[in-house]
Amino acid sequence: MMKAKRILLIFILGLAVTQVWAQTSAKFTGFYAGLSFERFAEKIESESDFRFYFDPMLVEGITVNIQVNETGLSDLLSSVLEETDLEFSISPDGKVFITKGEKLTVDFARGYFDPKVDVEGASGQNASAMGAFARNMRFEIGKENEDPAKRTAVLRGKITNIDNGEPMLGTVIFEKVDYQKAITDENGMYRLELPKGRHTLIVQNPGGYQEQRQIELFGDGVLDMEVQENFLSLDEVVVSSGALNNINKLDMGVQAISIADVRKLPAILGEVDILRGVLTLPGVNTVGEASVGFNVRGGAADQNLILYNQSTVFNPAHVFGFFSAFNPDMVSGVELYKGSVPVNYGGRLSSVLQVEPKFGRTDKIGGSGGIGIMTGRLSLEGPIGENTTFILGGRTTYSDWALNLLEDEAALEGSNASFYDLNANLRHTFNDKNQLEITSYISQDDFAFDADTTYSYRNTNLAATWRHYFNDQLEGRFTVGYDGYEFGIIGEDNPLNAYEFSFDVKQWHLRADFEYRKGEDHLYKFGVHGIQYQLNPGTNQPFGSESIVIPEDLEDENAREIAVYFGDEWTINERFSLSYGGRYMLYQLLGPLTVNQYVPGAPITESNVIGEETFGSGQVVQAYHGPEFRLSGRYTLDNQSSIKAGFTTMRQNLHLLSNTSAIAPTDSWKLSDRYLKPQTGGQASVGYYRNMARNTLEFSGEVYYRYMNNLLDYRSGADLILNENIEQDVLNSIGKAYGMELLMKKTSGLLTGSLAYTYSRSLLRTSDEPSIEKINNGEFYSSNFDQPHHVVLVTNYELSKRINVSLNGNYSTGRPVTLPIAKFEYAGSERVYFSERNAYRIPDYFRLDASVNLEGNHKVKKLAHSSWSLGVYNLLGRSNPYSVYYTAVEGQLQGYQLSIFARPIPFITYNFKF
């Protein structure tokens, strides 16, 4: 018996040795022409039992051109990799490892590589808990012979960060051959329907790091995966839809930007700024430096809906626009919708900027922060018990020295500026079907640009969202929140005239949003939104006991807005998808309010007032309602290109009363009333999208046309502050905008970046309704932010895994201005004759910036991971004009050019994460 066992053992060992010998001694004959290394490896695998293991980034750019005859793999690889710094190692059981610099030891313990892992039904399996090489294991999903008539199966699961257990938003999972893909939501969940059989899944996290999973799909099942984050940037806050998303995403005019990339951009005074990252996108521009307000496709700054979670942020800037209102450490994603706005968004005419909040990590207490020459920030996050996470973050400024860098130092003597912002977010998971999220934000700015006038403003946002998963097909999200914005001025130049002016807008909102997935062909979105507005147009009170200022207090304005919506994302076939839907909005201005009555058909002037009408509390003063339509489609030409087209209409019930091109703290908001109708408009666009060079280059080109009605412009000399009859100074205008946007991005390799070119026009014309005056004789004229040409170059070169350098350029046509062109004598005094509205332009804008980002060492076990950012803003020291203005000097009219930063601005910031 013992002898038989020995014979059997020797036989088995002999078979094993024979198998290994056959494996390692395999010979290859053929012509491998023009193959990428990945394709070459796949071909070798298909012809033998060898299996390759390598980082795709290592072999990027290697092309195989070789003819062999009865050549062993070792000799073959030696020839292929001869002129590279790559090494290869072949284990006894046929595993081939490609490494850089030195060979990998291949003496692995028995069982280190498990050939397959069973994942049956919906029980789930963590695909990273199997060892360091989970990416090359084969996971069996479902049960064999389960429902043989069904040729496809649904794979779903959750993607989390291997370091802290946080869900990975924006991770792309796609099948390697047919490029069927899914993108994780904010909870890290994905759903993918594939043909039954063997597949290679590529998992690309938002930072660009790729992993792969081998699966054998027998039936429906769950595959949860923990993946690495691209730790090189030390930034977990990223939104990236992946290279394939450029082709496959149904919506057009939608662009995302990662904070990892924003951190590499040279910034003013070293402050990382999300909105300045948005300004690198085509179709997005700003009127000048020190202005965070932005213009999208020819729209005004107030026509952008800026959302933090579901909360509206009315003023997205600190210190007159020097800094963004958003702390980058508290953000998990940013997306800008400037073409096909999703049906669940509304209320603004131009765009929606969705800023997703960050929630705390689930594994341990940690944090991050930074110390710059102007600001400092700190955040702390982690778990509370098993089912709750938190994150707290704050940011402040601690120096006024930067004001001395501005051009007019004498005028700023005695000036000071300070701000802070605070975020607190909480997430509690009751069970796998119910989750509660609470987000809060508060900011405060105080500044004085002379010794006797103090400005202050505050943003306040609070929202609570309950997510409920009714089943695998239906998800509901219910949100209640409050948004507020307050502004105030205290003037103390003369105690007798000392005053305190204030303005505020408040809104309470309630939202119910649902998503219902019907099979793989339809994703329905529907819901209802409600907003209650309360607006104080302005109050002016005496300040101090000596002041004799007469109190003024305009009537409060109240309104409610209700919208219902429905939309469907319909996958008609593999090539053609359609998104359609609509919103219907009801708006009501409510009392108490007193409204002027004017002569019917006559211009709205003080002389045409014929009476007043008074409304009691809760009475409907004026109502407006109407539909908004959404329609977009995508046709995939092949795996590398697609065309898209869309049409969108929008309505806006809030107006910004401003005599500046950018959003300023002194601007006030105004609700639509009997004479100021809601702004309405529509946009049609079409685009072509193509990926090249193995998805490392992305190209997109879009053209668009917009029309806008009921826009506000102002008669010459209009007074916008404490004007209780503002309708008498407002000119009802119509607008049109059209343009072309081109974008080329390089997304991988040592050199990455983008080149964006935008041609756009934005024109206004006084409407045909009776009015006080017609600007430019009723002809179209350039809006304040009409800048036809805009070019942005963003480059980043990775010198090593720890050092990268950036050089960025920005050019745009000068914005329009109205200039005095003559003077004349009239009625015994000298008068000035001005050109037509916005007939001239200030000089063009051009700026170069440079920066270096230095990472600390990448040891996993250390107290904190750190990095340094240093560079120069406005490297060439150009005096780019912000505005041109004229003033009388000794009886002569003199012209001046105002530049915000007229010299190079160096910066340095220390960042840390623990």
Side-chain angles (χ1 to χ4, degrees):
M1 184 67 177
M2 183 63 69
K3 185 176 180 180
K5 288 184 177 180
R6 289 176 180 174
I7 294 174
L8 179 60
L9 178 59
I10 293 172
F11 178 72
I12 292 174
L13 289 174
L15 284 179
V17 171
T18 303
Q19 183 179 8
V20 170
W21 179 85
Q23 170 82 312
T24 57
S25 62
K27 304 295 183 179
F28 296 90
T29 298
F31 184 35
Y32 303 95
L35 300 179
S36 67
F37 189 89
E38 286 188 87
R39 183 69 186 93
F40 165 75
E42 290 173 0
K43 192 168 181 60
I44 295 297
E45 288 182 338
S46 67
E47 297 173 357
S48 68
D49 291 328
F50 287 107
R51 290 294 175 264
F52 281 76
Y53 301 83
F54 55 84
D55 183 348
M57 293 293 292
L58 288 180
V59 299
E60 183 180 9
I62 297 178
T63 302
V64 179
N65 287 289
I66 190 170
Q67 184 171 1
V68 293
N69 182 31
E70 289 296 313
T71 302
L73 182 60
S74 181
D75 293 335
L76 178 55
L77 288 176
S78 295
S79 300
V80 170
L81 302 177
E82 181 178 8
E83 297 182 0
T84 72
D85 59 353
L86 301 181
E87 301 286 348
F88 66 90
S89 306
I90 305 176
S91 70
D93 56 350
K95 292 182 173 60
V96 184
F97 302 92
I98 307 298
T99 54
K100 186 175 182 179
E102 58 184 58
K103 292 188 176 183
L104 181 70
T105 299
V106 293
D107 185 17
F108 296 105
R110 180 176 175 83
Y112 191 82
F113 293 92
D114 186 0
K116 69 176 183 178
V117 178
D118 294 327
V119 186
E120 297 187 358
S123 60
Q125 178 68 48
N126 191 305
S128 67
M130 307 300 170
F133 290 91
R135 67 193 299 269
N136 296 293
M137 296 178 183
R138 179 162 56 91
F139 295 86
E140 294 189 351
I141 312 295
K143 298 178 180 180
E144 289 191 71
N145 302 318
E146 178 183 355
D147 193 3
K150 187 179 179 183
R151 297 187 176 183
T152 63
V154 174
L155 177 67
R156 55 190 176 87
K158 184 175 184 178
I159 308 294
T160 54
N161 189 316
I162 194 172
D163 295 322
N164 55 31
E166 290 185 20
M168 298 283 286
L169 166 69
T171 298
V172 180
I173 303 96
F174 63 93
E175 199 274 333
K176 194 172 183 179
V177 177
D178 296 326
Y179 289 104
Q180 297 185 61
K181 58 94 182 177
I183 303 172
T184 58
D185 60 18
E186 60 269 26
N187 296 311
M189 305 299 294
Y190 73 92
R191 187 177 188 275
L192 189 63
E193 184 169 5
L194 297 168
K196 291 181 179 179
R198 188 167 183 176
H199 300 280
T200 298
L201 297 181
I202 303 298
V203 183
Q204 178 174 307
N205 75 5
Y209 184 89
Q210 284 192 353
E211 294 193 15
Q212 69 181 33
R213 299 290 186 266
Q214 308 288 340
I215 67 168
E216 187 80 28
L217 190 60
F218 296 115
D220 296 347
V222 175
L223 183 64
D224 295 333
M225 290 177 274
E226 291 181 344
V227 299
Q228 285 185 331
E229 183 182 27
N230 186 3
F231 195 69
L232 301 179
S233 66
L234 293 180
D235 298 311
E236 67 286 335
V237 184
V238 174
V239 172
S240 174
S241 299
L244 293 176
N245 220 27
N246 183 52
I247 305 301
N248 294 330
K249 197 175 183 73
L250 180 55
D251 298 323
M252 66 179 306
V254 181
Q255 289 178 310
I257 186 168
S258 75
I259 292 181
D261 290 335
V262 173
R263 291 185 189 277
K264 298 173 185 177
L265 297 175
I268 298 179
L269 302 174
E271 177 68 18
V272 174
D273 195 322
I274 295 171
L275 295 189
R276 295 195 186 281
V278 171
L279 291 174
T280 65
L281 302 175
V284 185
N285 205 352
T286 184
V287 296
E289 289 171 315
S291 173
V292 178
F294 55 96
N295 308 104
V296 177
R297 290 189 169 179
D302 68 305
Q303 294 175 350
N304 305 310
L305 178 63
I306 302 174
L307 295 174
Y308 178 71
N309 195 12
Q310 302 298 321
S311 300
T312 302
V313 178
F314 286 96
N315 190 334
H318 286 302
V319 194
F320 272 125
F322 280 97
F323 305 108
S324 163
F326 299 106
N327 182 345
D329 292 340
M330 301 299 297
V331 175
S332 69
V334 181
E335 277 194 310
L336 177 69
Y337 299 90
K338 55 190 174 74
S340 300
V341 176
V343 70
N344 53 309
Y345 294 121
R348 296 295 189 274
L349 221 58
S350 285
S351 73
V352 176
L353 181 68
Q354 177 64 57
V355 181
E356 289 290 345
K358 178 183 176 183
F359 291 94
R361 57 193 299 173
T362 60
D363 60 334
K364 62 180 181 179
I365 299 293
S368 61
I371 302 172
I373 59 177
M374 184 71 175
T375 63
R377 68 186 193 279
L378 178 66
S379 65
L380 187 67
E381 59 177 310
I384 304 175
E386 295 184 359
N387 300 317
T388 306
T389 65
F390 78 94
I391 183 169
L392 302 172
R395 186 174 52 151
T396 187
T397 185
Y398 38 74
S399 176
D400 298 323
W401 68 270
L403 293 175
N404 297 324
L405 296 176
L406 302 181
E407 195 170 64
D408 193 355
E409 296 180 14
L412 297 171
E413 185 177 353
S415 299
N416 61 81
S418 65
F419 74 83
Y420 70 84
D421 56 52
L422 300 171
N423 296 79
N425 301 334
L426 188 74
R427 171 184 280 165
H428 178 75
T429 302
F430 296 95
N431 50 48
D432 59 354
K433 290 186 176 294
N434 294 281
Q435 188 177 77
L436 176 66
E437 297 174 349
I438 298 176
T439 59
S440 61
Y441 170 75
I442 185 171
S443 70
Q444 177 72 39
D445 279 69
D446 297 285
F447 44 88
F449 285 165
D450 55 58
D452 52 46
T453 305
T454 302
Y455 303 82
S456 65
Y457 65 90
R458 172 189 294 258
N459 284 299
T460 305
N461 300 99
L462 177 66
T465 299
W466 172 43
R467 298 176 183 271
H468 179 66
Y469 298 90
F470 296 91
N471 50 50
D472 289 344
Q473 296 176 298
L474 179 62
E475 174 189 348
R477 186 169 67 172
F478 308 91
T479 303
V480 59
Y482 165 80
D483 309 318
Y485 174 66
E486 307 168 35
F487 168 73
I489 307 175
I490 296 178
E492 302 177 84
D493 184 27
N494 184 338
L496 294 178
N497 296 324
Y499 66 92
E500 182 177 11
F501 171 81
S502 63
F503 156 85
D504 65 75
V505 56
K506 303 172 183 176
Q507 66 176 34
W508 293 263
H509 57 92
L510 181 66
R511 306 168 62 98
D513 301 280
F514 300 90
E515 288 190 5
Y516 176 73
R517 182 176 293 278
K518 184 179 180 181
E520 290 301 305
D521 296 336
H522 294 274
L523 176 61
Y524 299 114
K525 297 183 179 181
F526 53 94
V528 58
H529 298 166
I531 299 177
Q532 182 76 26
Y533 296 101
Q534 182 179 329
L535 188 148
N536 170 19
T539 300
N540 195 45
Q541 300 293 331
F543 184 78
S545 58
E546 300 179 46
S547 178
I548 58 174
V549 169
I550 299 174
E552 293 183 78
D553 191 358
L554 300 187
E555 284 186 282
D556 286 354
E557 298 181 6
N558 298 275
R560 59 173 167 247
E561 178 182 294
I562 300 174
V564 294
Y565 71 89
F566 174 84
D568 177 22
E569 294 182 9
W570 179 19
T571 303
I572 299 175
N573 53 45
E574 292 182 355
R575 290 185 177 272
F576 186 45
S577 296
L578 189 67
S579 176
Y580 63 92
R583 293 171 60 92
Y584 198 91
M585 182 181 292
L586 170 65
Y587 169 83
Q588 294 176 320
L589 181 68
L590 306 174
L593 196 65
T594 300
V595 180
N596 287 332
Q597 294 178 316
Y598 295 90
V599 175
I604 300 176
T605 62
E606 184 178 3
S607 60
N608 288 327
V609 175
I610 58 175
E612 292 182 343
E613 187 175 0
T614 301
F615 295 85
S617 178
Q619 280 188 280
V620 177
V621 178
Q622 183 68 38
Y624 297 99
H625 60 90
E628 300 176 17
F629 300 104
R630 308 284 196 272
L631 178 63
S632 61
R634 183 215 69 221
Y635 184 78
T636 303
L637 301 173
D638 52 44
N639 285 338
Q640 302 299 319
S641 60
S642 66
I643 55 175
K644 305 176 188 179
F647 178 73
T648 299
T649 65
M650 303 287 282
R651 301 174 67 89
Q652 178 171 334
N653 298 310
L654 270 175
H655 310 265
L656 188 68
L657 302 180
S658 175
N659 56 8
T660 66
S661 301
I663 294 178
T666 53
D667 298 336
S668 59
W669 294 84
K670 177 75 175 69
L671 290 168
S672 295
D673 58 23
R674 180 166 294 181
Y675 305 108
L676 275 65
K677 299 178 181 179
Q679 301 177 49
T680 61
Q683 177 180 178
S685 54
V686 62
Y688 173 74
Y689 308 82
R690 182 171 182 81
N691 285 4
M692 297 167 283
R694 297 173 58 229
N695 289 325
T696 61
L697 288 178
E698 301 176 21
F699 170 80
S700 64
E702 296 184 20
V703 294
Y704 67 89
Y705 178 86
R706 297 182 59 200
Y707 67 88
M708 297 163 281
N709 297 316
N710 302 326
L711 304 182
L712 299 188
D713 209 334
Y714 309 98
R715 68 175 181 85
S716 301
D719 185 6
L720 305 183
I721 299 178
L722 290 173
N723 187 341
E724 61 183 2
N725 300 311
I726 189 66
E727 68 271 10
Q728 297 176 11
D729 283 341
V730 167
L731 301 178
N732 194 345
S733 301
I734 62 175
K736 65 179 180 180
Y738 54 89
M740 172 183 65
E741 300 168 2
L742 303 176
L743 176 65
M744 178 68 79
K745 292 177 62 178
K746 187 175 187 295
T747 58
S748 63
L750 297 180
L751 177 64
T752 59
S754 63
L755 177 63
Y757 168 73
T758 303
Y759 174 78
S760 66
R761 296 304 310 271
S762 177
L763 306 173
L764 299 176
R765 181 173 68 85
T766 309
S767 71
D768 295 329
E769 297 179 4
S771 60
I772 304 170
E773 61 185 85
K774 300 287 185 183
I775 297 177
N776 290 10
N777 299 315
E779 301 296 326
F780 276 104
Y781 60 94
S782 296
S783 70
N784 291 336
F785 34 86
D786 176 47
Q787 298 170 277
H789 301 284
H790 186 212
V791 182
V792 178
L793 173 67
V794 177
T795 64
N796 186 271
Y797 187 78
E798 191 174 283
L799 294 174
S800 70
K801 293 298 183 182
R802 295 171 55 186
I803 304 174
N804 64 75
V805 296
S806 295
L807 181 67
N808 307 300
N810 192 315
Y811 165 82
S812 63
T813 307
R815 66 182 182 85
V817 291
T818 304
L819 298 181
I821 57 176
K823 60 181 180 179
F824 60 94
E825 295 283 342
Y826 180 76
S829 61
E830 188 175 77
R831 306 294 177 93
V832 176
Y833 180 76
F834 284 84
S835 69
E836 292 187 333
R837 182 76 62 92
N838 291 341
Y840 293 87
R841 294 184 180 275
I842 64 176
D844 292 353
Y845 181 95
F846 177 69
R847 191 187 79 243
L848 277 179
D849 310 319
S851 71
V852 179
N853 296 288
L854 308 174
E855 299 287 350
N857 66 64
H858 293 160
K859 294 180 179 178
V860 175
K861 294 183 178 180
K862 54 190 288 188
L863 180 62
H865 297 277
S866 61
S867 65
W868 291 86
S869 296
L870 59 155
V872 180
Y873 180 89
N874 193 11
L875 185 64
L876 302 179
R878 283 179 54 89
S879 297
N880 285 303
Y882 181 82
S883 65
V884 174
Y885 63 96
Y886 290 79
T887 186
V889 178
E890 297 180 355
Q892 298 293 321
L893 198 62
Q894 299 289 336
Y896 295 90
Q897 172 181 301
L898 172 64
S899 297
I900 303 298
F901 294 109
R903 65 188 72 177
I905 307 296
F907 65 85
I908 183 169
T909 302
Y910 172 72
N911 301 293
F912 56 89
K913 178 179 177 181
F914 58 92

